[in-house]
């Protein structure tokens, strides 16, 4: 599943990079600002840092409660003000060690474990145009997150490995700066909640944590208007 998602993200970005200039040719340079817009297609690549809401659980297993993420996606601007829709995916991967929690004592078991998450985010949002600062475009969005979680180890017992997908939600806000008409950079913050995904056993149960979501800060390279 992770391999297919990575291929899909790369394909979306490649298609968007070709489609955006082609779509632009259908518009005239003298089109009035008040006339209706055509649908605008864009793509982006993204890197950032994700911090888990269940910080104690992941810090105990991984030795940290955060880590780098990378991904990409596509954005479609609709001909209604600043309305847009967005679909994207990203990946987090980190190695750690299985542990046993007995009361307040954490006992390392010496068993390596690999944690990999691949969320797919479907969003709708709004871009805010500032006439005096046309190159700066603040935006806000929110939507549904399909959160893939995989936990594997070499010497896993029955039921210890996990490979599941959970449903959640996210909110995102940021600002894009247009370097050229078709190229931009953006910084954004995203809050994600995936409740009742963990906490049924193991470390997360010991710490009474059940949310697989968290917060992330991201940088985007964007293609499209």
């Amino acid at each position: 599943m992770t391999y297919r998602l990575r291929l899909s993200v790369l394909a979306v970005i490649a298609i968007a990079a070709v489609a955006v200039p082609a779509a632009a040719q259908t518009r005239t340079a003298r089109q009035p600002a008040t006339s209706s817009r055509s649908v605008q297609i864009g793509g982006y690549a993204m890197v950032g840092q994700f911090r888990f809401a269940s910080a104690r659980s992941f810090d105990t297993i991984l030795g940290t409660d955060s880590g780098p993420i990378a991904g990409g996606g596509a954005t479609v601007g609709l001909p209604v003000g600043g309305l847009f829709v967005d679909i994207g995916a990203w990946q987090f991967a980190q190695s750690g060690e299985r542990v046993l929690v007995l009361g307040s004592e954490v006992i390392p078991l010496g068993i390596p474990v690999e944690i990999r998450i691949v969320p797919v985010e479907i969003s709708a949002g709004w871009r805010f145009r500032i006439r005096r600062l046309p190159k700066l475009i603040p935006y806000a969005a929110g939507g549904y997150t399909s959160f893939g979680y995989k936990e594997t180890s070499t010497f896993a017992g029955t039921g210890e490995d996990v490979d599941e997908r959970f449903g959640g939600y996210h909110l995102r806000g940021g600002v894009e700066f247009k370097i050229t008409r078709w190229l931009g950079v953006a910084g954004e913050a995203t809050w994600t909640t995936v409740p009742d995904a963990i906490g049924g056993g193991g470390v997360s149960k010991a710490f009474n944590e059940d949310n697989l979501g968290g917060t992330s800060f991201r940088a985007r390279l964007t293609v499209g208007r």
Side-chain angles (χ1 to χ4, degrees):
M1 183 64 180
T2 300
Y3 178 73
R4 292 179 180 176
L5 280 172
R6 281 186 287 185
L7 286 180
S8 299
V9 169
L10 291 174
V12 166
I13 295 173
I15 292 170
V18 174
V20 169
Q25 293 177 3
T26 64
R27 304 182 63 194
T28 62
R30 297 181 181 179
Q31 184 181 20
T34 56
S35 64
S36 61
R37 297 187 295 110
S38 60
V39 173
Q40 300 172 346
I41 301 175
Y44 63 89
M46 177 272 290
V47 294
Q49 187 82 3
F50 181 79
R51 184 179 187 275
F52 287 97
S54 298
R56 292 184 66 191
S57 297
F58 286 96
D59 185 49
T60 300
I61 297 172
L62 302 177
T64 179
D65 61 3
S66 64
I69 60 176
T75 300
V76 178
L78 302 178
V80 181
L83 184 64
F84 69 91
V85 293
D86 179 300
I87 181 169
W90 50 271
Q91 179 178 264
F92 167 98
Q94 193 95 358
S95 298
E97 180 181 4
R98 292 199 182 277
V99 302
L100 179 64
V101 180
L102 296 176
S104 60
E105 184 178 5
V106 176
I107 304 173
L109 299 179
I111 302 174
V113 62
E114 177 79 15
I115 291 178
R116 186 182 304 272
I117 61 175
V118 184
V120 177
E121 299 172 338
I122 302 172
S123 312
W126 193 272
R127 297 181 184 274
F128 303 91
R129 299 286 180 173
I130 304 175
R131 291 186 178 180
R132 300 178 67 177
L133 299 170
K135 290 189 175 184
L136 284 179
I137 308 172
Y139 59 90
Y144 178 76
T145 300
S146 177
F147 202 95
Y149 179 82
K150 189 174 184 179
E151 182 179 314
T152 56
S153 59
T154 306
F155 306 104
T158 303
E160 288 185 332
D161 281 352
V162 179
D163 188 0
E164 296 188 47
R165 187 161 287 276
F166 305 94
Y169 303 92
H170 64 271
L171 295 174
R172 184 172 73 239
V175 178
E176 181 181 9
F177 175 75
K178 283 293 187 181
I179 301 173
T180 68
R181 190 176 184 182
W182 304 106
L183 185 67
V185 293
E188 63 182 35
T190 302
W191 171 80
T192 305
T193 180
V194 190
D196 301 320
I198 55 176
V203 175
S204 58
K205 182 177 181 180
F207 293 140
N208 195 30
E209 295 179 324
D210 68 0
N211 198 320
L212 263 180
T215 55
S216 58
F217 297 92
R218 313 175 183 183
R220 288 189 179 195
L221 177 65
T222 64
V223 178
R225 296 189 61 184

